[in-house]
Amino acid sequence: MAVRGVPEGAASTGAALRGLREGTVAAAVALVAMAGTAAAGLLLLDAGRVGRLDRLTAAVVAMAAGAPAGIDAAPDGGLPVAVHGRVDVMPLGVSAVGAIVLGFMLLRRGRDGWLVRGASAAVVFAAGMGAVAWAARGPLALPTGGASPAVEARGCPGAGGLPGGLPGGLSGGLPGAFDAGFAVAVGPAMAGAAVGALVVAALCRLSPPGTAALRAMRWPAVVVAAVCVLSAGAFGGPAAAGAALLAWPIVAVGGPWTWHAEGVLSCALNGGPPLPGALLLVCATVALTCGAALAAGGGQPRRATAAAVRTAAVTGVLMAVLALLARASAELSAQAFVFSLPLLEVRLTANPWPALAAGAAGGLAGSLLVGALRRRGFGGGRP
């Protein structure tokens, strides 16, 4: 079979090349969007005072794919003492921007050529993330100074209690000059990017009503992000706005949150859950909005009850996945000669089951609300 005089083999080859090109462009645009979001958040946080902004931006983008960051510090003068740290946290705001942009780019051509487009996007996205992670390394300028009065008041071992004192951020600074640097693991960044891109591509393979619903989900995400950033900026200043930009999807995780710290420096951190369980109400509100968007974007189903149950399942799983991804951990240890001393281990986790329940309830209510409005003549059957 030929199309306008073009042999079938040539037409299929051209379609494959077009799919490869579109997948490559989608992955590149998603990486650029993630880098722009990370850079904006770091600028608001004034992160340029602790390191090169381009290297820090690369680190945040790579960590958004699930890669941990390692930090090493050693005192000047050649003393055989070193501090090693590991930070494992996902800036979900950057991750969400990448997923939304990648999905939007892959959905532009519908389902035609999805396999080639999705596979090429996953390969290019993983390769690009590997390059970003390789560039995510450089020196850090740690603050200097003694233990803060708040830390000393809690009876923590100050600068005189440990070789080299407490790390900056826990004690208010380091007592002397330290050579410090950071690096992000390349392998986990590439693996996380590949898995994330394949998940987004698989979601784009849903039926046409589901595809329209995914498109409709862009606007709740934009609204939630804008509200989080603007509210944080209004009440907490530019630094709070930058933190909100990097982590705004956490608002959808209601909690309860569990905070665990152990080690000789654990007293430098205040205990207790940092976020109240009352955020479950916020989680349900976000899920309600998402459920309404999914139902509106999916058109008018024949069985509204079945559609509401499917929407509840989608929003519930989405909130539970966000709760799992919102987990964070950090480790800190000191090494002198052949001896190693664990200094601090911090873990922050969110219970996914309340998030699942709140997400399912909000999605069910949002879908039923849209169905009720349509039965009364609102919406006209258009998404």
Side-chain angles (χ1 to χ4, degrees), residues 18-99:
R18 184 169 58 253
L20 288 173
R21 182 176 64 252
E22 292 171 352
T24 300
V25 171
V29 173
L31 285 171
V32 171
M34 294 175 70
T37 305
L42 291 174
L43 282 172
L44 290 171
L45 287 170
D46 194 20
R49 56 189 173 86
V50 298
R52 287 182 50 177
L53 192 60
D54 56 343
R55 301 298 178 92
L56 293 175
T57 298
V60 172
V61 173
M63 294 176 70
I71 300 175
D72 296 313
D76 288 343
L79 292 177
V81 178
V83 177
H84 305 286
R86 173 189 169 98
V87 179
D88 194 353
V89 59
M90 288 184 66
L92 291 178
V94 181
S95 307
V97 168

Side-chain angles (χ1 to χ4, degrees), residues 303-319:
R303 300 181 61 183
T305 303
V309 172
R310 289 196 299 270
T311 302
V314 171
T315 53
V317 170
L318 175 63
M319 299 305 170

